[in-house]
């Protein structure tokens, strides 16, 4: 629980390098919405590009954990993200590049962390993608 808590504190602070310190070399970020496009999980290196892109898209943000369930090697975290999209939306977060919308979004999600030997091996992220797209005004 401590490793995941510190990881989420770095996330809330927009500190992608701080987040990286808690990931195992074989870490993967499994964004479940990628299943719809038959894309797999992001590798550790791809994740290093994902979070800085997300933070650049939403430089003003608030990330709050609303519920946590922890077992020995698995931590489940329910959260709420609020952010203003004042930076460009780019890959690998979005499939196509878009300019900032200047809209403030609020979305909920759940992250499941698999932890081994003090590092996070896998993060499975369930995000309310429909709300994200509606609040940003994105059309498919």
């Amino acid at each position: 629980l401590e490793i995941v808590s510190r990881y989420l504190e770095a996330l809330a602070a927009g500190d992608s390098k701080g987040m990286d310190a808690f990931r195992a070399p074989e870490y993967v970020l499994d964004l479940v919405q990628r299943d719809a496009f038959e894309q797999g999980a992001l590798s550790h290196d791809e994740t290093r590009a994902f979070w800085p892109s997300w933070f650049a898209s939403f430089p003003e943000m608030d990330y709050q954990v609303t519920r946590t369930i922890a077992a020995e090697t698995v931590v489940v975290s329910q959260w709420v993200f609020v952010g203003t999209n004042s930076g460009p939306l780019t890959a690998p977060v979005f499939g196509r590049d878009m300019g900032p919308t200047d809209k403030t979004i609020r979305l909920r999600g759940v992250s499941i962390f698999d932890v081994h030997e003090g590092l996070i091996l896998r993060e499975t992220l369930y995000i309310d993608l429909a709300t994200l797209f509606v609040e940003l005004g994105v059309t498919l």
Side-chain angles (χ1 to χ4, degrees):
L1 181 58
E2 179 183 340
I3 296 301
V4 171
S5 293
R6 292 174 59 198
Y7 177 82
L8 294 176
E9 287 171 7
L11 189 156
D15 181 5
S16 59
K17 289 185 182 182
M19 293 168 68
D20 194 44
F22 298 103
R23 296 188 202 114
E26 60 274 23
Y27 168 92
V28 295
L29 175 59
D30 183 9
L31 302 161
V32 296
Q33 72 267 18
R34 291 174 56 94
D35 291 353
F37 306 102
E38 297 182 9
Q39 299 169 327
L42 298 177
S43 70
H44 195 181
D45 287 339
E46 291 169 321
T47 301
R48 286 183 178 133
F50 175 87
W51 286 113
S53 180
W54 180 266
F55 297 143
S57 298
F58 299 95
E60 296 177 41
M61 64 168 213
D62 183 40
Y63 178 90
Q64 292 186 340
V65 174
T66 58
R67 185 175 187 192
T68 301
I69 302 169
E72 188 173 330
T73 61
V74 177
V75 177
V76 178
S77 175
Q78 183 176 335
W79 46 264
V80 175
F81 175 88
V82 178
T84 300
N85 173 227
S86 56
L89 301 164
T90 60
V93 175
F94 291 88
R96 61 178 190 244
D97 291 353
M98 299 180 340
T101 64
D102 293 320
K103 294 183 178 184
T104 299
I105 64 164
R106 180 186 184 280
L107 65 117
R108 298 182 312 144
V110 172
S111 297
I112 301 172
F113 300 93
D114 294 303
V115 180
H116 180 69
E117 295 183 0
L119 294 172
I120 300 169
L121 290 176
R122 179 181 203 88
E123 178 180 355
T124 304
L125 181 62
Y126 293 86
I127 188 170
D128 184 356
L129 200 59
T131 296
L132 175 64
F133 283 169
V134 167
E135 290 191 5
L136 288 176
V138 173
T139 57
L140 300 175

